[in-house]
Amino acid sequence: PQEKVSVWAEQFRIVPEMGSIPGPWHNHVAPELVEVMDALSPDHPCEQVVLMKPSQSGGSAVAENWIGYIMHRTPGPAMYVGPTVKGAKDWVQEKLGPTISATPVLAPEKGGVVAPAKSRSGEGTTSERIRFKGGFLLLAGANSAATLRQHSIRFMVRDDRSAWTDNADNEGDPKDLSDARLKTYRVFGLAKVFDVSSPKFKGADIHAEYQKGDQRHYYMACVECGGLTDWDFEDLVHNESAPYRAHLICPLCQHVHFDADKTAMKGGGCWIPTAPDLDGVLPPKSIRAAELDAWRYRQVGPGNIVSFAMTGVTNTFERWDNLVARKVAAGDDPMKLQPFENSDLGRAYEPKSDGPSWEVLSARREMEWSRGTAPGGVLYVTFTADVQGDGIYW
């Protein structure tokens, strides 16, 4: 049946007892995840969905729902790629496995579509491959080129991208190796890949993938005027010491929102593409309700990549006061600021450099001595180079 992943999840997905909210899945708990799931549905025209997010914000749950949907509704060859092979197997043991067992349409012991474990015969589920009616899910690691070879794959989850190595067994970038598995199905417009991770550095890994798409932000609604705002951590107003009583003030009507309002704010919110259009136009930070559709449905980016950036402020499973407390604890220490930016806020980190500009360095060159010689008194010479793909620059 033509069915969206979010609809399937609410009808069939059961969160296991070890989950934070066990029992039937409810989309209203984390409405920001609905559009991400629906972009993964077969009838959505994109071929890549990117989710850059804070830790513990529901990204893995989206992957579990999509894989359950594939197993039950659109069976085919699928692959889960983690940073390591062991990490992929741990993910099955801790997250996907319990989800399968708790969800009747999937559980083999309840007559579901997943095959029971029969490792010796090779016909059932093994530690490297989960079989289901009409397809299978291979488990692979970015550190193992062998697990990324040979198979033609239609659906792929690439998890925790920022923790991947950049060279799998000296055979190249694991992203490129995994892309090659999708080639056959991409020709016919049938492939779909889900990249999900907390970011690390700006312009790298998941952040680079995010920038290739339409760069959607989740605008939350004001509970008073209905206007939508792209709120970020810097918009939080709070006391200088605990209790921080962090809150947001609507730029359109000045209504004050506390953490208790977050559910209503997200319920009236939506994702809006923030990539510039052909004229370089960007959406405003705040949008009145009457102007929403013009910004929500505008076409930007390449079209085949839908990218989402979730922030700590919109995270269902985070409190604003906790974010402020962690920022205060991090202070100006770069070793603490980076994990705060990456894991708590879901933002790519850009280290601040105290180094001088190139103009200052160039002005300090000593021009009196020529190539092949050194000034009197020099005991050591330090040489630096920048290694790039097309050469070494010095």
Side-chain angles (χ1 to χ4, degrees):
Q2 196 168 13
E3 184 179 44
K4 295 184 182 299
V5 174
S6 64
V7 174
W8 179 91
E10 197 153 51
Q11 184 175 357
F12 296 106
R13 164 78 192 270
I14 303 296
V15 180
E17 288 298 323
M18 65 179 66
S20 57
I21 308 178
W25 176 274
H26 296 293
N27 287 326
H28 67 79
V29 173
E32 70 274 18
L33 301 179
V34 171
E35 191 168 321
V36 183
M37 287 189 281
D38 290 347
L40 291 164
S41 303
D43 57 341
H44 194 287
C46 76
E47 67 176 30
Q48 182 179 7
V49 178
V50 180
L51 176 59
M52 185 173 68
K53 63 174 189 67
S55 59
Q56 304 298 314
S57 56
S60 290
V62 171
E64 294 158 28
N65 289 348
W66 186 41
I67 290 174
Y69 177 93
I70 291 167
M71 292 173 168
H72 188 211
R73 293 303 200 206
T74 57
M79 176 180 280
Y80 173 90
V81 188
T84 65
V85 177
K86 181 181 183 303
K89 293 181 179 179
D90 288 345
W91 176 76
V92 170
Q93 291 293 323
E94 297 169 9
K95 295 186 176 180
L96 183 62
T99 293
I100 291 174
S101 297
T103 304
V105 295
L106 304 178
E109 60 271 21
K110 299 174 183 177
V113 296
V114 175
K118 294 180 181 178
S119 56
R120 290 188 178 182
S121 68
E123 297 176 356
T125 293
T126 68
S127 60
E128 290 84 23
R129 184 194 307 253
I130 298 175
R131 292 187 181 273
F132 47 90
K133 293 179 181 179
F136 55 81
L137 175 69
L138 290 175
L139 304 179
N143 66 329
S144 171
T147 61
L148 298 172
R149 289 198 212 104
Q150 298 179 342
H151 304 280
S152 291
I153 299 298
R154 181 180 178 186
F155 306 111
M156 183 177 292
V157 174
R158 298 191 290 210
D159 198 4
D160 204 3
R161 282 285 308 277
S162 295
W164 284 24
T165 178
D166 57 3
N167 193 349
D169 297 329
N170 294 319
E171 294 190 23
D173 188 335
K175 177 190 176 297
D176 296 336
L177 297 176
S178 62
D179 275 339
R181 302 300 103 227
L182 300 161
K183 186 184 300 182
T184 301
Y185 285 94
R186 270 183 170 155
V187 169
F188 298 101
L190 297 172
K192 187 89 76 170
V193 59
F194 181 38
D195 286 297
V196 55
S197 179
S198 297
K200 202 166 186 180
F201 295 109
K202 284 191 175 181
D205 305 311
I206 196 72
H207 185 251
E209 296 296 319
Y210 167 77
Q211 289 182 308
K212 295 176 185 176
D214 53 8
Q215 303 176 34
R216 302 185 187 193
H217 286 192
Y218 197 82
Y219 280 56
M220 293 195 295
C222 171
V223 298
E224 180 68 20
C225 71
L228 289 91
T229 299
D230 182 16
W231 273 299
D232 214 335
F233 176 76
E234 286 71 22
D235 298 313
L236 284 172
V237 181
H238 56 84
N239 298 331
E240 293 185 1
S241 59
Y244 295 106
R245 289 188 56 79
H247 56 279
L248 294 168
I249 302 174
C250 175
L252 300 175
C253 71
Q254 306 307 306
H255 185 81
V256 178
H257 301 78
F258 287 92
D259 235 324
D261 298 311
K262 189 193 292 186
T263 300
M265 294 168 71
K266 292 203 302 181
C270 66
W271 291 97
I272 293 179
T274 65
D277 61 18
L278 293 177
D279 297 320
V281 176
L282 299 171
K285 184 175 179 65
S286 294
I287 300 172
R288 298 189 183 278
E291 303 167 354
L292 173 61
D293 286 354
W295 294 106
R296 185 178 185 182
Y297 298 111
R298 69 192 190 111
Q299 297 298 314
V300 293
N304 64 333
I305 303 175
V306 176
S307 58
F308 302 86
M310 190 189 302
T311 71
V313 173
T314 60
N315 184 2
T316 293
F317 309 99
E318 184 62 89
R319 294 181 64 242
W320 296 338
D321 268 28
N322 290 344
L323 289 177
V324 174
R326 292 191 199 109
K327 177 61 174 71
V328 171
D332 295 325
D333 185 350
M335 298 299 290
K336 294 180 180 179
L337 275 177
Q338 182 182 341
F340 172 72
E341 289 280 334
N342 293 165
S343 299
D344 294 320
L345 299 186
R347 299 195 303 207
Y349 184 67
E350 187 172 21
K352 293 182 179 179
S353 173
D354 295 327
S357 66
W358 71 266
E359 293 90 347
V360 174
L361 287 174
S362 179
R364 294 181 60 184
R365 288 181 299 170
E366 296 183 24
M367 306 301 293
E368 296 81 20
W369 54 288
S370 59
R371 184 187 297 268
T373 68
V378 170
L379 300 179
Y380 295 93
V381 175
T382 301
F383 182 82
T384 63
D386 182 15
V387 181
Q388 295 291 339
D390 60 346
I392 301 178
Y393 296 82
W394 58 277

